[in-house]
Amino acid sequence: MSQITQCKGTEWIAEASDRLLFTTNRPELIMDRGAGMYMWDTEDRVYLDFSGGWAVTSLGHAPAVIRDVLDQQSAKLIHASPSFYNEPMLQFAKLLTDISCFDKVFFASSGAEANEAAIKLARKYGAAKLGGAHEIITMTNSFHGRTLATMSATGKSQWDALYEPKVPGFCHVPLNDLDACFAAISDRTCAIMLELVQGEGGVNIVDESYLYAIRKACDIYGLLLIVDEVQTGIGRTGTMFAYEHYGIEPDIMTLAKGIGGGFPLSAMLTKESFDLFEPGDQGGTYCGQPLAMAVGQAVVQEVIQSRLADNARIQGDYLKRRLQETGEALGWSQVRGRGLLVAFNLPLPCGAELVKRCLDIGLIINSPSPSVIRLMPALIVTTADVDKMLRLLAECWEALYREQQAAAQ
Ligand SMILES: *Cc1c(COP(=O)(O)O)cnc(C)c1O
């Protein structure tokens, strides 16, 4: 069982990683353990984590809150089957509907799965209330997941030719372009689906007037407004949910990533009036799984009790201000974001190289596209962490930029 921790070094990686189906390039190291803002590899090198497990480890690495609740719940009941209630399921459903504008929740394990549930509910609604309308309008540069339907909903041009034919019934329009969205609405449309801050798309924020007009159009035409808060939900943007920044209420919201703090968990929430599924229409083996329910409830309670959404807003504002101050001389531009979902642009398309060099000196950051750097640390981040991250990042960037400029001459 402890084979991996016993076999240290890159020799072991080369030998054993061959057995993994190749789907992504991983660096030659093995992540071993974590605590708070840090992770350590099996060689005891330490990494400051400003990618937060991809906006997932909201309470930091290995938090006592999650360790304790896993301990207690796993000693009590790990799995009963989705055909039974369990206590944490009922408590967590009450908590999520108490703190949001929604009345009903469906639990699943991943963001894609929650979005699948939202897509199905929108189609069910279209069939029942809109004479069979089934089309969902989504945004260019959006990201909704990797199942076939959520890939079809995603507005990523690199995926256009992949796994054809796509699931039909999605059309993509540019974000914040009201005319384009209105032009796409037809009698086939049942819903409009969007992220309020596009995460994978490079941290693009939805305009207030745009969302307000879309909400109005949905009301007029009877369409569902679906917000994918898989990345923005549970405190990340400085409020518990990103829709709270806008003074509107969506009809459906999906949550994942930060809600489990690293435990696979997702949720789709909706209003009483869209409670349209019949028994058998939607489900899954792990829907409402007791361990996930107990962890989710503990994570959300901790975000509330420790005011981590406030911390996300305060540290996010500080991070953006420091990026602007430091970045001006370094060629960084377009510092943007909300709370702890922040990005900026590099003057050269060398994001992947910067990520690699930062990793080499013990800093984890993310580059969702070649000229964009995205930062989404745990919600527990402090100003000292931000300062340390900026020192490491600036150091790596200065060296890389100098080399690139010299090579260009
Ligand atoms: C990550 C992400 C997803 C997909 O979530 P998975 O848990 O990887 O399936 C969907 N929507 C958004 C906005 C995301 O950031």
Side-chain angles (χ1 to χ4, degrees):
M1 197 210 106
S2 58
Q3 209 173 4
I4 287 183
T5 43
Q6 277 163 13
C7 301
K8 296 190 175 186
T10 50
E11 235 168 88
W12 156 252
I13 300 177
E15 192 187 305
S17 64
D18 252 12
R19 310 296 180 92
L20 291 170
L21 186 72
F22 178 72
T23 55
T24 186
N25 283 305
R26 295 187 171 100
E28 291 277 304
L29 56 89
I30 302 173
M31 280 306 174
D32 190 44
R33 58 197 195 278
M37 291 294 298
Y38 291 92
M39 279 197 286
W40 286 262
D41 67 16
T42 47
E43 304 285 316
D44 271 340
R45 284 173 301 218
V46 64
Y47 302 88
L48 176 60
D49 188 1
F50 262 68
S51 135
W54 274 0
V56 166
T57 51
S58 41
L59 307 183
H61 290 286
V65 170
I66 295 181
R67 291 199 322 263
D68 291 348
V69 75
L70 276 174
D71 209 34
Q72 288 155 18
Q73 187 59 44
S74 62
K76 212 174 158 196
L77 181 68
I78 291 179
H79 185 76
S81 104
S83 53
F84 294 110
Y85 294 120
N86 60 70
E87 260 182 303
M89 175 202 281
L90 298 170
Q91 288 162 347
F92 193 29
K94 180 168 184 333
L95 174 60
L96 284 178
T97 49
D98 279 349
I99 62 168
S100 70
C101 67
F102 301 97
D103 313 304
K104 303 276 177 179
V105 58
F106 170 79
F107 290 114
S109 307
S110 71
E113 215 183 339
N115 283 337
E116 284 272 346
I119 292 164
K120 287 180 188 171
L121 185 57
R123 285 192 173 192
K124 183 98 201 205
Y125 170 80
K129 314 273 172 166
L130 298 175
H134 66 277
E135 218 167 77
I136 301 178
I137 298 172
T138 66
M139 304 295 144
T140 317
N141 289 321
S142 61
F143 184 87
H144 298 297
R146 289 173 175 278
T147 61
L148 208 45
T150 54
M151 279 185 95
S152 307
T154 293
K156 195 168 164 171
S157 55
Q158 300 95 299
W159 284 0
D160 284 349
L162 206 54
Y163 310 134
E164 290 292 281
K166 290 281 187 308
V167 174
F170 296 96
C171 75
H172 303 98
V173 296
L175 183 68
N176 290 330
D177 181 342
L178 210 49
D179 291 341
C181 185
F182 286 174
I185 296 174
S186 73
D187 54 8
R188 294 185 306 279
T189 312
C190 66
I192 300 173
M193 177 173 182
L194 76 173
E195 299 155 86
L196 298 180
V197 181
Q198 289 186 334
E200 304 308 303
V203 184
N204 312 309
I205 302 175
V206 169
D207 292 340
E208 206 170 312
S209 59
Y210 177 78
L211 191 65
Y212 191 75
I214 284 196
R215 174 69 275 180
K216 228 169 163 179
C218 286
D219 291 339
I220 292 167
Y221 297 110
L223 313 178
L224 296 184
L225 176 58
I226 305 171
V227 294
D228 177 346
E229 294 226 29
V230 165
Q231 190 155 156
T232 54
I234 314 297
R236 168 91 12 212
T237 69
T239 50
M240 185 54 84
F241 308 108
Y243 75 79
E244 295 170 47
H245 291 289
Y246 293 88
I248 62 109
E249 291 187 4
D251 302 308
I252 296 177
M253 170 174 74
T254 55
L255 300 168
K257 294 205 164 88
I259 196 175
F263 198 94
L265 168 64
S266 66
M268 179 201 67
L269 291 105
T270 191
K271 305 270 181 109
E272 175 87 53
S273 47
F274 308 118
D275 185 3
L276 298 171
F277 287 138
E278 306 278 341
D281 283 357
Q282 174 61 358
T285 306
Y286 297 119
C287 294
Q289 198 264 2
L291 279 184
M293 296 296 99
V295 169
Q297 192 191 356
V299 168
V300 174
Q301 274 168 346
E302 176 63 17
V303 170
I304 295 168
Q305 273 156 21
S306 295
R307 297 179 157 275
L308 293 182
D310 289 341
N311 191 56
R313 193 184 62 249
I314 293 162
Q315 301 302 335
D317 287 347
Y318 178 69
L319 172 59
K320 275 189 291 187
R321 185 159 54 78
R322 288 294 322 274
L323 279 171
Q324 258 147 5
E325 287 166 5
T326 327
E328 206 161 343
L330 299 171
W332 300 345
S333 62
Q334 292 179 52
V335 175
R336 59 193 178 271
R338 227 175 204 151
L340 287 171
L341 184 49
V342 170
F344 62 92
N345 285 19
L346 299 171
L348 298 168
C350 52
E353 179 62 21
L354 184 59
V355 167
K356 188 179 165 300
R357 291 193 184 198
C358 283
L359 189 72
D360 287 344
I361 64 160
L363 172 65
I364 302 172
I365 57 169
N366 169 260
S367 175
S369 59
S371 298
V372 177
I373 295 297
R374 179 175 50 157
L375 303 166
M376 59 267 203
L379 308 184
I380 57 163
V381 70
T382 64
T383 52
D385 297 323
V386 171
D387 291 342
K388 182 167 179 188
M389 182 279 297
L390 273 166
R391 272 199 308 278
L392 295 171
L393 182 61
E395 180 189 320
C396 275
W397 170 248
E398 274 168 336
L400 176 61
Y401 197 33
R402 243 182 281 124
E403 281 170 38
Q404 297 275 334
Q405 282 177 321
Q409 273 159 15

